[in-house]
Each structure stands twice: as C-alpha cells, then as structure tokens.
Amino acid sequence: MLGKTIERQNPDRPFRQYLENYCGVLPDARTRWCTRKLKIEPFERFVGQDLVYNYIAIRADESQRKGYISTKPNIKAKYPFIEDGITKADVMRILEESGIGLPKYYEWRSRSGCYFCFFQQRIEWIGLYKRHPEKFQQAMEMEKEDPVTGERFTWVPGESLRELIRPERIQQIEANFQKKLLVMNKSVPNMPLSKVFALDVSCDEGDEPCLICQL
C-alpha cells in the first residue's frame, strides 16, 4: 500500500533451530532469548550503521514504559503516540473508524505475538487449545524433561501443557477466570476482556511482554 518492499529478516533460522542451540531450554520472562535472537539482533544487523528512527507504539496512557531502546547510537527511538497524546481508547476508536477493527484473537488473547508465547496466561493457553489445537500440539511438543536431572522445561511455570488440558484442570482454570471476570466487572462495569487479561498477568514485578507483541 505504501509502495515499500518488506524485507523479512532471519527467514532461514526459525525458532526451533535456536531451541536446539539452547539445548531445549525454552525462553522465559528472565532470559527472553527469543526476543534477542529473533527480533533485536536481526533488526540491528539489518540496520547496520545507517541512521534509523525506530517508531515505538507506546501509548500516552502507558508513558512510564520505554520498550526496546537500542544501545546503538544510530538507532533513535520515537514515540508518536505519546507525542500526540493517543491513549488506548483513541487506538480503539481509530481502528473502528478506519474499518480495521480488532483482530479476532482479542476475543481470547490479551495481545498479539507468537502462539507459544510464555507470557500467555493459563486461560489463554486454554483458548489456543480450543481454537487452534494443532498450534497447541506444536507448542506442547517443544516441552521436555531432562532425563538426567529431571528438570522440566515448560511454557507455564510448574505445569506442562499436557497437564493443563486435563478436563478437570480446564474446568478449574475457566471457573477461576470467570470469578475474576465477575470481580472486575463489579469494580469497573463493562470492562473489555483485553483489560481483564492485562490486570491478570502473573509475572514478577518488572516483567513485561515484548513491546512488539503488544498493541
């Protein structure tokens, strides 16, 4: 539409190859090697020494965040939403007025991104299982247990995806989510589902999903 060619970076080195390089150790909120290897390093390598303005979609109502800021002096961060005072409500309005609307996955996910993102909540994993079982199966196949140490590498802390989809566990997760949804709606009527998800992210303080994966 803009007459610009999109150049894909790192197309020949998929996630699974890096997973093998890391001996099956899945990325998590602390290491985030997927962000570094699949996003940041290819981007900075492509940019080289050219002067580049990196437009970061942090909104005015989340200006306390900074997102990805390169250590390379030739990559300059720009925050157009903050500069123009655009909030989440404005983003929603722009999407609706333009006819684009929200992607369908916002019916059950709080953000875009990889289908196996470790920042997903359990209720979102259940959503993936019910809507895209083939993707859930692929994510489940990446989990493993070290036969020597017994250490488990799972997407969800302390629980494998196979354990997550036991019928009684699904019922428990969905019931807990409905309780939280009820509490949220009592405190803030008609709260959007994406906002409920955002208030329920079970990460340690300071952990945030990849900026590129958030609206």
Side-chain angles (χ1 to χ4, degrees):
M1 184 169 62
L2 298 177
K4 300 293 184 180
T5 300
I6 297 176
E7 297 190 38
R8 292 187 61 189
Q9 301 301 305
N10 230 18
D12 300 323
R13 301 190 69 183
F15 176 86
R16 286 182 181 271
Q17 181 173 337
Y18 284 109
L19 183 60
E20 291 180 8
N21 293 346
Y22 281 88
C23 301
V25 178
L26 297 171
D28 57 26
R30 294 304 183 192
T31 61
R32 302 196 199 188
W33 60 255
C34 52
T35 301
R36 184 173 66 256
K37 291 297 183 182
L38 295 173
K39 299 176 185 178
I40 296 176
E41 289 182 4
F43 170 68
E44 293 188 343
R45 186 165 54 247
F46 174 73
V47 167
Q49 299 304 315
D50 293 340
L51 176 62
V52 168
Y53 291 96
N54 185 36
Y55 286 82
I56 301 174
I58 290 179
R59 306 182 310 269
D61 54 345
E62 53 179 4
S63 57
Q64 74 281 359
R65 298 178 57 213
K66 294 302 179 184
Y68 158 68
I69 299 179
S70 177
T71 57
K72 295 172 67 70
N74 57 304
I75 300 179
K76 311 293 185 181
K78 300 287 287 184
Y79 301 89
F81 285 3
I82 294 177
E83 293 170 5
D84 293 342
I86 296 177
T87 65
K88 185 170 185 176
D90 295 319
V91 172
M92 298 298 184
R93 175 181 53 78
I94 292 170
L95 288 173
E96 291 300 327
E97 291 179 354
S98 66
I100 297 175
L102 281 175
K104 295 291 288 183
Y105 54 73
Y106 274 100
E107 294 177 358
W108 55 281
R109 288 194 68 172
S110 57
R111 62 184 64 86
S112 62
C114 303
Y115 66 87
F116 49 76
C117 181
F118 52 82
F119 275 114
Q120 289 183 94
Q121 299 170 63
R122 287 171 172 81
I123 189 66
E124 294 177 281
W125 279 109
I126 297 302
L128 178 67
Y129 173 66
K130 290 186 173 183
R131 291 168 173 80
H132 301 282
E134 74 289 350
K135 294 297 184 184
F136 188 93
Q137 178 67 30
Q138 291 174 26
M140 189 164 61
E141 290 171 356
M142 296 183 204
E143 296 185 321
K144 61 176 290 188
E145 180 175 332
D146 190 309
V148 178
T149 65
E151 183 178 6
R152 300 202 308 173
F153 302 111
T154 60
W155 293 113
V156 179
E159 186 172 25
S160 71
L161 295 184
R162 191 175 301 278
E163 294 166 341
L164 190 78
I165 58 173
R166 292 177 300 184
E168 66 275 14
R169 185 67 176 118
I170 291 178
Q171 185 177 13
Q172 181 185 36
I173 292 170
E174 291 179 334
N176 288 341
F177 181 73
Q178 288 302 319
K179 289 178 182 177
K180 291 178 181 178
L181 190 62
L182 182 61
V183 171
M184 295 298 179
N185 278 329
K186 284 183 177 180
S187 59
V188 183
N190 301 317
M191 178 180 288
L193 187 59
S194 59
K195 187 66 174 178
V196 176
F197 279 132
L199 293 174
D200 188 38
V201 176
S202 55
C203 301
D204 294 333
E205 185 177 355
D207 289 338
E208 292 187 42
C210 311
L211 178 67
I212 199 170
C213 299
Q214 284 196 302
L215 180 64

